[in-house]
Amino acid sequence: MSTAFEEEKSMAKDESTKSIGNLISLYWQVENKERKAALEELGSDIQNVEGIRTGSYEFLNDLFVISFQLAKDHMETLKSRFAHLLLYPGSPSQEMESTDKQEDPNILPDSLKKEMSAFLKGNTDSWPLKELETGIMDWIEEEFSSDLTQNDKIKRYISCCCRLSWQLNIEFPALVIEADAHIFDQTKHEADTSCMLPEDPDDDGIEIIHFVWPVLLDKINGKVLKKGIVMLKS
């Protein structure tokens, strides 16, 4: 007969599995619907502020990677301030805003990180989506053109990327993405449909030109939850 503790642990595991399953589905949806809609709008490539042509695949991948990093930084700041508040409960609020007053978020026990994750999931009104979107808009205007930020399909893609990035980062444990590999790994990558897969996909020397969509990984055990899409050198 299972104990109440074992039953509670099993329920928590089931809930976590369900949550991750939902995120994988959302990850697929943004990749296959929102990204492709934005790609159709952009065409094959766009021009940056220096007049250099950049592939639209690469641009949209970079946009998502940057949104993920912005969300990760924001979440780390929240945890750092929370850690500072726990260590120094009498600290004035303006002290927590100071970067030199923030603490290592790793001092937080997993139980508190889990509670923090549950709280953030249940309070969607507190999600910093506008802040993340502004960060992306600023990057686009600095590197490319402000015209892109006025396009409805691009704006929708940005919004979806920011929402997905935040949800991946508030999950406990957080999920991570990877988009910096240079060599094709069949356990992590899929070749884009426009590429011809080499005769021996296990060949250690197949070069990746750039990512179309990042790999989604479990932060704890490195398990591949969703393979990344890559363009390969012919």
Side-chain angles (χ1 to χ4, degrees):
M1 181 181 295
S2 61
T3 65
F5 173 76
E6 289 172 335
E7 290 178 358
E8 182 179 349
K9 187 176 180 181
S10 177
M11 289 175 62
K13 184 177 180 180
D14 290 344
E15 188 63 31
S16 176
T17 301
K18 180 180 178 182
S19 179
I20 291 175
N22 290 339
L23 285 174
I24 294 172
S25 296
L26 182 58
Y27 198 79
W28 182 93
Q29 180 177 322
V30 175
E31 173 202 343
N32 287 280
K33 294 184 179 180
E34 310 305 339
R35 183 188 65 83
K36 288 183 178 179
L39 187 62
E40 289 177 2
E41 189 74 7
L42 290 174
S44 61
D45 60 13
I46 58 176
Q47 182 172 293
N48 67 14
V49 292
E50 297 177 349
I52 300 172
R53 306 302 295 187
T54 298
S56 297
Y57 285 102
E58 190 172 1
F59 167 73
L60 294 174
N61 175 75
D62 289 348
L63 192 154
F64 175 53
V65 171
I66 292 171
S67 74
F68 183 88
Q69 187 60 52
L70 289 172
K72 180 181 177 181
D73 291 345
H74 193 96
M75 188 60 183
E76 288 299 301
T77 299
L78 281 180
K79 289 190 289 188
S80 294
R81 291 175 179 172
F82 187 33
H84 181 79
L85 182 61
L86 290 175
L87 288 173
Y88 310 101
S91 300
S93 58
Q94 63 269 26
E95 191 174 282
M96 286 199 297
E97 299 291 333
S98 173
T99 54
D100 62 345
K101 295 296 183 182
Q102 294 175 17
E103 305 295 333
D104 181 356
N106 290 321
I107 69 171
L108 293 173
D110 285 349
S111 57
L112 282 180
K113 291 178 183 177
K114 189 174 182 180
E115 289 295 328
M116 189 175 186
S117 170
F119 175 81
L120 290 170
K121 287 181 186 179
N123 289 269
T124 56
D125 290 342
S126 68
W127 291 6
L129 300 182
K130 288 298 181 185
E131 185 176 335
L132 300 181
E133 289 172 14
T134 298
I136 290 295
M137 296 286 195
D138 290 345
W139 173 74
I140 292 175
E141 291 181 3
E142 182 179 337
E143 297 292 331
F144 294 92
S145 166
S146 58
D147 292 343
L148 288 172
T149 62
Q150 305 306 313
N151 184 291
D152 288 341
K153 288 186 179 179
I154 304 302
K155 286 166 69 175
R156 176 172 173 77
Y157 176 69
I158 291 170
S159 176
C160 289
C161 283
C162 291
R163 179 173 289 275
L164 173 59
S165 293
W166 184 245
Q167 288 178 266
L168 294 173
N169 275 284
I170 64 175
E171 184 65 28
F172 179 80
L175 304 184
V176 296
I177 63 172
E178 180 185 284
D180 56 1
H182 299 291
I183 301 298
F184 182 76
D185 180 347
Q186 196 169 207
T187 66
K188 288 185 174 183
H189 311 130
E190 291 180 9
D192 184 75
T193 53
S194 64
C195 296
M196 182 176 292
L197 192 64
E199 292 182 6
D200 183 8
D202 292 322
D203 184 356
D204 293 336
I206 303 172
E207 287 186 49
I208 294 174
I209 300 175
H210 62 75
F211 273 77
V212 172
W213 193 248
V215 187
L216 181 64
L217 300 161
D218 185 309
K219 184 178 181 179
I220 300 299
N221 56 27
K223 179 182 177 182
V224 176
L225 301 174
K226 182 75 172 64
K227 287 185 178 182
I229 311 299
V230 297
M231 299 289 283
L232 300 176
K233 186 175 181 179
S234 58

